[in-house]
Structure formats: structure tokens, C-alpha cells
Amino acid sequence: MESKVNYPYIYFLLESNMVFVYRIKTHHYLNASDLIDRSEWEAYELQHHDQFEAFNHEESEAIEGCGFWLEQHKLSDIVEIINDCIQKRRFVDHRITTQAVHIVSSESAAGSVRVALPPPKHVIGFPDCFSIGPLWKLEEKRGQTFRNNWLFENINDGQEDVYQNKFINTLREIEDISNHVPIYIWYGNNADEQCGLRFFLYLLRDKSNEIFLINTTEHSKANCATSHLSSQQLAQLFINIEEKKPLTIQDRLIFQNEWETLSQTNDILRLWINNEIKGVPENYFDPLIIERIERLHNEQATKDFIKTGTVIAELLPLIEELPSVFFLECRIRFLVYSGVLALKGIPKSMRHYSVKLRE
């Protein structure tokens, strides 16, 4: 596949003599689904592929009703080419004007922060859960691919087609932060946000911005994730830390070094234990899953299949630090595959199948 830029248009030679032209209409980064939904495409036919280098769509007539189909990895490549162009334009146009940047280890928490704080501000929500899955070399392309493959093979969250694009887009947003604005990182006392905190500070290692930390657990006096707090609570937290001092260079180096250590590990599941990120066995929650299913069986007149979603709903109040409902569903599938549980239905999501303990 060849491509070239004639901003705001990008040309893609997807076949030997077919050029597909995409028009960029936004300064926001795109996902693969955006290309399909918005369909800002036109198609042109060349007499020979050698004409592509000199091709200009304004001098040609588009083909009506012409579409194309691409494999997911090629579509992802096209998204990255378009986003590279958007990123360069964002830098040239200096379109991102804000008084502060806020980074949160959750898209849902980022939404609450956006509501909580007055403009102008820019809020970045990381589309991931750092308490599960490999973190090995996550700051590098190879680590991101390794993690993406693990998530694709294990986690049924319906995000497999857009996760990698969203992850890379978030890295771009962090890279785009201007050096003069203060950065606020929101986090709580749980493995997901504590890992995220260290990852963010590693990504920001070359930036000279003042960086402020907002520990939502300590300030809210509630042992919960940032995403569980209301916009009103988050707004009050921000007021309470206005006099807080930024991180020192020494403190930043400590967090960066801790990330470098973390990114060398092979753990799949992490918990926040005694104020530290601890890797625990992948099967850590399996005994609890089995015990809860057994208890549900005891409530039945006759031992029968139980909806997987029901099992997970029963588990939620029992787990103080919930890694991810999708990780629990992954472990239930593992117990099925290993012969501990019997299966009824198709395990494409937690609502599509039921389980019971084997005799």
C-alpha cells in the first residue's frame, strides 16, 4: 500500500490502479470505526499505478459508488497514517490551547473530570486497565503489540477492533502536551491507577511541565477507584489541592524507575497490597469463583446452569479491589476449558453463556 498527503486529503493506492482519497475534517485522532462510519472517501481509477506519484484528485473525476474492503490490520495501518498527518497538523496549527491537562487511568473517570472542572482544560482518559494483562515493554511498540495480542486472545470486552488505535491515540495526546501547561494526574490506591501513574510519568519524562498528583483515595477518604467518584466530589478534590506543590525532579525519577522495573515483569494480574503494586498468580480469584458458584447451586432446588453475568454480579461485593469484570469472565472461561465448569451457550460474552460445577 502506497500513500501520500495533499492536506487535508490523503491518497492511498490500495490496488494496482485504484486510488482512495480520504479527507481530514477534524483535529481529533481517529479510530478504525471512524473511517467506516464517516466514509469521507472518494475513489479514482488510474490507467497505470505509476501515475500515482503525480496524481491529484482535483484534476480527476471520482468513481461513483465504489467501495473497498480491508483486513483489520491494514485498516489500522491506514488509521495510523491519517493520525500521523493529524498530529503534524496539530503541531503546526497550535490548535490545542488549554490552561491545564488532566490525565486519568480510565475513560469513564475522564468523563467525570471533564464535567467537574471548568474550561479551558484538556482531559486525557487512558483506554485500558493496567491491573490485568502484560505490561512488559509497554512503552515500546513491541510491548504494545504483545499486550494487544494478549487482550485479543483473552478479554471479551468488544474493544478488540479499536483498542490498539485508541491506545496509540492516547500516547499521541500525551506527546502533544505543550511544555508550558501544568499537568494533573488523577489516581487512587489500586493497582490499575498506581500502574497508570508510573506509566504516565515515564511517558512525560522529557517534558519540563509542572506535574501535580491528585490521590483521590486519600483526599476522598473512600477506598474506591477514581471512576467511582461523582463529578461533585472530583470538583471538591481539585479545590482542596490548589495549594499543592508540583512533583520534584527526584520524585519523578523515582516513579520513572519504578515503571522501568514494572515493565520488566511478566505478571498478568496485579493488586495494590500494603501500598505496593504486587503481582499475584493469574488464578488468584479462581477459588472465590468456584466457592460462589457452589453457593449459588446450594440455593437451587436442582443443580443447574447459572448465567455467567449472575456469577460475576455475585462476586463484585466480595472483591475489595476489582481488577476487571472482563478478567473475571476470562477466568470463568478458563475454568470451563480446564474441565472444572460445564458450559451451556457460546462464550462470546458473559451474557451469552451459563456455567455450572461439573459432577
Side-chain angles (χ1 to χ4, degrees):
M1 178 181 65
E2 296 181 55
S3 66
K4 68 175 186 176
V5 177
N6 180 17
Y7 192 85
Y9 300 94
I10 304 183
Y11 303 160
F12 297 93
L13 184 62
L14 299 181
E15 299 175 18
S16 60
N17 65 334
M18 293 296 298
V19 179
F20 290 87
V21 179
Y22 183 83
R23 182 182 180 185
I24 297 174
K25 290 186 174 181
T26 177
H27 277 76
H28 298 293
Y29 295 125
L30 307 179
N31 298 314
S33 58
D34 295 321
L35 301 190
I36 297 171
D37 295 340
R38 298 176 185 178
S39 300
E40 301 293 344
W41 293 94
E42 287 185 339
Y44 298 82
E45 185 174 10
L46 305 178
Q47 292 183 346
H48 194 274
H49 70 270
D50 288 344
Q51 296 175 313
F52 179 66
E53 186 174 345
F55 174 76
N56 187 325
H57 76 287
E58 294 175 341
E59 300 171 355
S60 304
E61 186 172 342
I63 302 173
E64 294 293 334
C66 183
F68 67 95
W69 180 88
L70 289 173
E71 296 176 350
Q72 183 63 37
H73 73 278
K74 289 187 177 179
L75 189 58
S76 295
D77 289 342
I78 288 177
V79 172
E80 288 310 301
I81 291 171
I82 293 173
N83 283 337
D84 280 341
C85 185
I86 291 175
Q87 186 170 34
K88 291 174 183 175
R89 201 68 190 185
R90 281 161 65 119
F91 180 78
V92 170
D93 290 352
H94 298 287
R95 291 293 183 91
I96 300 179
T97 56
T98 181
Q99 289 184 357
V101 172
H102 300 262
I103 306 177
V104 196
S105 294
S106 160
E107 289 181 298
S108 61
S112 297
V113 172
R114 289 188 186 99
V115 174
L117 304 181
K121 83 282 184 182
H122 182 61
V123 182
I124 300 173
F126 222 92
D128 210 338
C129 178
F130 294 109
S131 62
I132 66 168
L135 297 181
W136 176 81
K137 299 292 184 183
L138 191 60
E139 68 279 4
E140 301 177 16
K141 284 285 187 183
R142 55 177 173 162
Q144 294 158 22
T145 300
F146 183 68
R147 179 175 175 81
N148 185 62
N149 290 339
W150 184 90
L151 292 170
F152 181 80
E153 294 169 0
N154 292 277
I155 301 300
N156 266 340
D157 62 356
Q159 295 293 311
E160 60 271 12
D161 291 342
V162 299
Y163 166 78
Q164 193 164 21
N165 287 143
K166 291 173 72 174
F167 188 98
I168 294 173
N169 288 349
T170 309
L171 297 184
R172 291 179 189 275
E173 286 194 73
I174 292 175
E175 184 182 342
D176 291 344
I177 297 174
S178 301
N179 286 325
H180 67 280
V181 300
I183 299 171
Y184 296 86
I185 301 177
W186 299 69
Y187 69 102
N189 289 343
N190 55 76
D192 174 22
E193 295 181 281
Q194 291 286 343
C195 290
L197 167 64
R198 287 152 178 79
F199 184 47
F200 303 150
L201 287 169
Y202 181 85
L203 296 176
L204 295 165
R205 65 193 182 281
D206 294 328
K207 290 189 176 291
S208 58
N209 308 60
E210 288 189 333
I211 299 178
F212 300 85
L213 303 188
I214 305 177
N215 187 316
T216 55
T217 301
E218 291 179 359
H219 290 283
S220 67
K221 304 189 186 308
N223 189 21
C224 59
T226 303
S227 59
H228 296 165
L229 300 180
S230 68
S231 297
Q232 292 79 6
Q233 288 173 304
L234 295 173
Q236 187 60 48
L237 288 181
F238 189 67
I239 293 173
N240 292 343
I241 61 93
E242 282 187 337
E243 301 301 321
K244 190 177 180 66
K245 294 182 179 180
L247 279 179
T248 64
I249 293 175
Q250 291 76 12
D251 288 337
R252 291 176 64 164
L253 285 173
I254 290 172
F255 282 116
Q256 291 168 30
N257 292 335
E258 288 178 355
W259 171 257
E260 290 176 343
T261 299
L262 197 58
S263 72
Q264 296 296 324
T265 61
N266 296 312
D267 299 315
I268 295 301
L269 178 62
R270 289 161 290 276
L271 296 175
W272 182 248
I273 301 174
N274 295 328
N275 293 320
E276 290 185 21
I277 300 166
K278 296 285 189 180
V280 296
E282 196 170 349
N283 62 357
Y284 184 87
F285 293 108
D286 289 7
L288 183 61
I289 293 172
I290 294 169
E291 183 275 331
R292 185 49 44 173
I293 293 175
E294 188 172 29
R295 179 168 295 190
L296 289 171
H297 281 326
N298 292 337
E299 297 173 0
Q300 296 174 323
T302 304
K303 181 177 174 181
D304 199 0
F305 286 96
I306 305 165
K307 285 287 187 183
T308 300
T310 300
V311 176
I312 292 176
E314 288 283 326
L315 291 168
L316 299 186
L318 307 177
I319 301 175
E320 183 176 356
E321 185 181 340
L322 181 67
S324 162
V325 293
F326 300 108
F327 182 80
L328 295 178
E329 190 273 330
C330 169
R331 294 311 303 172
I332 290 174
R333 273 186 286 116
F334 176 85
L335 292 172
V336 169
Y337 301 149
S338 60
V340 176
L341 301 177
L343 167 71
K344 179 183 178 182
I346 303 173
K348 60 182 180 180
S349 78
M350 67 182 70
R351 64 186 180 87
H352 282 92
Y353 69 104
S354 303
V355 296
K356 70 175 181 180
L357 288 170
R358 287 189 179 274
E359 301 296 342

